[in-house]
Amino acid sequence: MRVTPGFIIAAGLLAMPSAALAQANFSNARLPKLAQVRTLPLPAEFVDPARRGFLHSFRLSVDLGMAITEKRRQPTRLKQNSYGTQLGLSFGISSMGFASVTGNVSRETIKSTILAFPLSLDSKAEAGGADLVLGITPLPFLRVGILGGFGIGNSTYQFVGVAGTPVGADSTSYRFGAFAGASYPVGPVMLSLDATLLTTRSRQAYDPTNIPPVAHFGSTIGMLHLSALYSITPRLRLSGGIILNQVLAEKVAPAERGLDPSWFTLQAGLAYQINRNWEVSIKGMTWLSNQRMNYSRATIGAAYTF
């Protein structure tokens, strides 16, 4: 059986009525007949895999978020605001497997300055994509798997104060990688350590008047993620983590410079279990110690388990 944070919360909720019953006085005067007694349904984590079906423990989630991207110490200074929605579905596969499918769409406003001129540009963009994760848990606290995804987008930009037709661009990208991780409970805290290798490849095609007409770029990054999940109460959970990002290979677009060779990502979140099925959450993350680019994101979300 794969142990998840949801399993810990469910176990805590089930333990609460037991303590209350131990302190109460009961009368058997109106007990139902034995034939009328029916067992309560158990959470998916407690059900024998042979009885719960090949696919189980479905979780549907939606997150609304805002992100800010800033480029510094680059030939182009940029500030980009993004507003987007992310939909996700995760589920268990048989007794050891798990999977998740995530889709996202966003709208972006971009203000940038090409320092060589210098001229300012205003841009607008739309983007979308999807990601798939497949994994197994060969041991209760160990997980390994693969991931992949794609993205598409389009944008238009125009020099501020310069008459002319806006220039457009279309972009496509794909990503793939692998991960391995382990989790271990220490009292009310679940500690996790995950390693991920991720490769991205991107292509951006501009209107014919642009030079160059097409740009190709991408990177391979290794990530080491240390995180902790703390159950403040059986319903309220606090999470936090730090990721070490290391660039292993990179090809940058023309007139751009690459990311710093390494930097950190700081994460924090708070989730509240309304009942057995519904959960709400707030999450935030930001990059640290990257001198050429900064990225921060905050989201609010809800999830339904069935």
Side-chain angles (χ1 to χ4, degrees):
M1 179 181 66
R2 180 168 61 96
V3 177
T4 65
F7 172 85
I8 298 171
I9 293 171
L13 291 172
L14 290 177
M16 291 177 63
S18 302
L21 289 172
Q23 300 176 5
N25 295 319
F26 293 95
S27 170
N28 63 0
R30 297 184 179 179
L31 287 179
K33 295 180 181 180
L34 185 60
Q36 297 175 305
V37 175
R38 296 291 185 270
T39 58
L40 293 173
L42 291 174
E45 292 88 346
F46 289 89
V47 178
D48 185 345
R51 299 175 56 193
R52 67 186 178 190
F54 182 70
L55 303 179
H56 57 87
S57 306
F58 290 91
R59 177 183 172 88
L60 183 64
S61 62
V62 58
D63 291 280
L64 306 177
M66 175 183 176
I68 298 175
T69 304
E70 293 181 290
K71 285 185 179 181
R72 301 185 297 264
R73 300 184 181 181
Q74 301 252 20
T76 301
R77 183 182 295 122
L78 174 146
K79 184 174 183 180
Q80 177 175 322
N81 296 324
S82 304
Y83 306 87
T85 302
Q86 180 174 287
L87 295 174
L89 177 65
S90 62
F91 51 90
I93 305 173
S94 188
S95 60
M96 292 197 308
F98 61 94
S100 69
V101 182
T102 305
N104 63 84
V105 293
S106 65
R107 298 178 64 90
E108 302 163 356
T109 58
I110 308 166
K111 292 185 177 297
S112 57
T113 302
I114 300 177
L115 302 181
F117 296 130
L119 288 173
S120 297
L121 296 95
D122 284 344
S123 309
K124 292 184 178 181
E126 296 179 349
D131 291 277
L132 172 67
V133 175
L134 290 173
I136 61 171
T137 54
L139 295 174
F141 300 105
L142 179 66
R143 56 191 166 272
V144 294
I146 57 175
L147 54 91
F150 71 92
I152 56 175
N154 61 79
S155 61
T156 58
Y157 59 93
Q158 187 171 20
F159 288 105
V160 177
V162 178
T165 304
V167 177
D170 295 318
S171 61
T172 58
S173 66
Y174 64 91
R175 44 197 173 267
F176 58 89
F179 64 89
S183 298
Y184 191 78
V186 180
V189 179
M190 174 68 81
L191 297 176
S192 298
L193 182 64
D194 291 87
T196 303
L197 184 65
L198 181 66
T199 295
T200 63
R201 294 289 183 267
S202 301
R203 178 183 185 274
Q204 189 152 348
Y206 304 94
D207 285 349
T209 56
N210 191 80
I211 299 176
V214 178
H216 296 270
F217 48 97
S219 62
T220 297
I221 299 178
M223 291 167 279
L224 190 63
H225 185 189
L226 176 63
S227 62
L229 181 71
Y230 173 64
S231 297
I232 301 174
T233 72
R235 292 176 179 264
L236 186 63
R237 306 191 314 273
L238 176 66
S239 61
I242 187 168
I243 304 173
L244 171 61
N245 306 275
Q246 179 66 50
V247 176
L248 304 176
E250 186 175 22
K251 179 182 180 180
V252 299
E256 294 290 342
R257 294 174 184 166
L259 297 170
D260 282 359
S262 62
W263 72 96
F264 295 95
T265 302
L266 188 64
Q267 299 175 318
L270 194 65
Y272 180 74
Q273 193 83 28
I274 299 174
N275 53 37
R276 176 178 166 181
N277 301 105
W278 285 100
E279 177 186 276
V280 292
S281 63
I282 56 173
K283 291 172 283 189
M285 57 89 71
T286 187
W287 285 11
L288 300 175
S289 301
N290 193 314
Q291 300 300 317
R292 296 179 183 174
M293 181 178 291
N294 182 54
Y295 178 77
S296 300
R297 186 168 186 260
T299 63
I300 58 173
Y304 179 75
T305 303
F306 58 101

